[in-house]
Amino acid sequence: MKVLVVGSGGREHAVCWKLAQSNKAEKIYCAPGNAGIGDVAECVDIKAEDIDGICRFAVEKGIDMAVIGPEVPLAMGITDALNAAGVRVFGPNKKCSRLEASKAFTKAFLARHNIPTAGYKEFTDKQELLNAVGIYGYPMVIKADGLAAGKGVVIAENEADAKKAIEEMMGERVFGDAGDKVVVEEYLTGVEASMLCFVDENSIVPMESAQDYKRIFDGDKGPNTGGMGSYSPSLVFTSELEKRIMDEILLPTLKGFQQDGLDFKGVLFVGLMLSDDGPKVIEFNNRFGDPETQSVLMRLDSDLVDIFDAVIDNRLADIEIKWKKEKAVCVVLASGGYPGSYEKGKVISGLSAVDSDVVVFHAGTAFADGEHTIVTSGGRVLGVTALGATHEEARMRAFDNAKKISFEGMHYRNDIGTVNRTSK
């Protein structure tokens, strides 16, 4: 089987790495890929958003299965285009992708199907929103409706911060069209967690639990990022909690998809707040989360090709998905200045010193001087991911190996793998 993975981040590296372990994947391509993905797949110089180019390549190479990593091409309709070209795709179509591309769409879906979530109101007029500042009290949750690379959410602690965020989103348009509509939500307290689920038209099957860390600094301080690390399984999940999430959130979501004609096939990422009132949905994403995927796929004991095939063919209920008992921790090494402005092209050293059974998933890397030097090319650069018999063992192995790697300005959180007890 020839497989094409679309994307260039740590999530796509983890997917390619796991696919490469299957004897069913005879050839793996990744468009565009990165310096690390080249070790397990052939990188193709086509941008993830170049849908026409990806479709032409898929047809020319006789691709049997395409796996879509990032949210932007999904929202653009890459699945629909590839299907029309005769290519089987793991990833939801454009209609389903509105669940991530529009926060207002998702909130309306949750409300319509009585799925627990925060109260909300949406605004398209800046002055109307300014007049409603503090509608749910403070902190005030302000979200750009559209895609904003994981950075379109502001938790305003007071009126001044709220007005500043509103002006940036709707006045200065720092998130472009994503801020044409803004969703304001009730602030939820509790422990934030996430659950990745395989979904076809008939079934929803949660993967092993994971937890990520959105804020840039230890103790969940500072601005939001795309994610500074993750671990699996989550220390806050119990069998009782997982059953409650299945009964109150996942099964009603699947039923809602069926009632609304959303023929979802792929991965549904469910962002959760474990509040005193029970689990509530913070957000839906239409794809593998990053960096949760790095921790979760390290623990997957089944053939990923088999799972993708089953989802595409609506046979998910017919397969058994097995997981390793070991725990996993992923520590993200970030560029200096991230999530604000940062410089690229910093030489990365120490990669060859990492233990052979610790995986360094590349997120923002590129080659310089041919293929002799690996340099930084993004805000989140590497995800050092380790397994251990216990969470603490996995943590120690991940951090011990992270210290072997260096590049100018490199920084990371030191509390990855511990329970994140702060709220969103």
Side-chain angles (χ1 to χ4, degrees):
M1 177 184 290
K2 294 180 182 178
V3 182
L4 171 62
V5 177
V6 175
S8 62
R11 163 187 53 223
E12 288 77 31
H13 191 177
V15 170
C16 288
W17 172 81
K18 191 62 188 179
L19 289 171
Q21 297 171 22
S22 172
N23 58 18
K24 299 180 177 70
E26 300 166 17
K27 179 70 177 179
I28 304 172
Y29 298 96
C30 188
N34 61 40
I37 291 175
D39 291 336
V40 290
E42 180 179 332
C43 294
V44 183
D45 188 18
I46 306 174
K47 289 182 169 59
E49 294 83 13
D50 182 0
I51 294 178
D52 290 341
I54 286 172
C55 287
R56 282 195 302 270
F57 177 84
V59 172
E60 288 169 6
K61 293 294 184 180
I63 296 298
D64 299 295
M65 176 194 296
V67 181
I68 315 303
E71 62 272 23
V72 173
L74 286 169
M76 292 172 65
I78 191 171
T79 296
D80 311 70
L82 283 165
N83 281 335
V87 181
R88 302 168 70 248
V89 184
F90 180 86
N93 59 28
K94 186 174 184 177
K95 183 178 180 181
C96 294
S97 294
R98 290 190 68 195
L99 289 160
E100 181 168 3
S102 170
K103 295 178 180 65
F105 179 86
T106 292
K107 295 297 288 191
F109 172 89
L110 294 168
R112 186 163 58 251
H113 297 289
N114 298 310
I115 297 168
T117 190
Y120 80 103
K121 190 172 182 181
E122 56 188 77
F123 298 85
T124 55
D125 180 81
K126 185 179 76 169
Q127 191 56 51
E128 184 183 352
L129 176 51
L130 286 170
N131 293 340
V133 161
I135 185 173
Y136 293 113
Y138 296 96
M140 181 176 176
V141 182
I142 307 167
K143 297 182 176 182
D145 177 62
L147 297 175
K151 302 181 184 69
V153 178
V154 174
I155 312 297
E157 299 292 340
N158 52 53
E159 181 179 344
D161 288 348
K163 289 182 175 179
K164 179 174 182 287
I166 293 164
E167 183 58 40
E168 288 176 347
M169 285 187 194
M170 302 191 84
E172 300 172 19
R173 294 173 58 82
V174 295
F175 302 118
D177 294 347
D180 286 349
K181 181 184 290 185
V182 168
V183 173
V184 173
E185 291 188 12
E186 170 193 11
Y187 180 76
L188 298 177
T189 58
V191 178
E192 189 174 350
S194 55
M195 184 168 277
L196 297 168
C197 303
F198 293 114
V199 183
D200 67 10
E201 293 178 30
N202 307 311
S203 307
I204 184 164
V205 178
M207 303 180 210
E208 286 284 275
S209 62
Q211 184 174 8
D212 79 332
Y213 300 74
K214 290 294 186 192
R215 303 292 186 110
I216 188 67
F217 300 126
D218 287 9
D220 229 30
K221 306 295 184 183
N224 273 334
T225 71
M228 290 298 294
S230 64
Y231 73 94
S232 176
S234 171
L235 288 163
V236 301
F237 275 77
T238 64
S239 56
E240 292 80 10
L241 177 60
E242 288 179 350
K243 183 179 187 305
R244 188 170 179 183
I245 292 170
M246 175 62 79
D247 293 342
E248 297 179 13
I249 294 173
L250 301 187
L251 290 177
T253 294
L254 179 64
K255 185 177 180 181
F257 287 171
Q258 294 166 342
Q259 290 177 347
D260 291 358
L262 297 173
D263 48 344
F264 196 105
K265 292 184 182 182
V267 170
L268 181 69
F269 171 105
V270 185
L272 297 165
M273 184 64 77
L274 308 180
S275 72
D276 290 341
D277 298 328
K280 296 186 178 183
V281 176
I282 299 172
E283 64 179 350
F284 281 153
N285 293 336
N286 303 308
R287 33 74 190 183
F288 280 109
D290 189 338
E292 293 92 339
T293 302
Q294 290 85 313
S295 291
V296 170
L297 289 188
M298 280 285 282
R299 301 184 56 230
L300 180 62
D301 212 19
S302 295
D303 189 318
L304 192 56
V305 172
D306 288 345
I307 298 173
F308 287 172
D309 260 336
V311 168
I312 294 170
D313 296 338
N314 285 318
R315 296 184 292 101
L316 181 57
D318 298 336
I319 65 169
E320 180 184 5
I321 301 175
K322 297 180 180 179
W323 300 92
K324 298 175 183 176
K325 293 182 179 179
E326 294 161 290
K327 322 303 181 189
V329 171
C330 172
V331 177
V332 169
L333 311 184
S335 292
Y338 177 79
S341 60
Y342 53 87
E343 295 181 356
K344 300 179 181 180
K346 304 301 182 183
V347 175
I348 302 170
S349 61
L351 290 170
S352 61
V354 172
D355 294 348
S356 60
D357 58 345
V358 171
V359 183
V360 181
F361 292 116
H362 290 230
T365 66
F367 285 114
D369 303 323
E371 295 190 2
H372 301 294
T373 305
I374 297 177
V375 299
T376 65
S377 67
R380 292 185 297 170
V381 180
L382 301 166
V384 182
T385 312
L387 291 173
T390 63
H391 285 88
E392 185 58 27
E393 182 182 326
R395 283 192 77 244
M396 293 302 296
R397 299 208 64 222
F399 281 106
D400 285 348
N401 281 274
K403 293 171 184 174
K404 299 176 182 179
I405 301 169
S406 64
F407 54 86
E408 183 184 336
M410 183 181 94
H411 66 103
Y412 54 87
R413 281 180 60 159
N414 294 286
D415 58 352
I416 307 300
T418 60
V419 176
N420 180 5
R421 294 199 179 280
T422 55
S423 58
K424 186 175 176 67

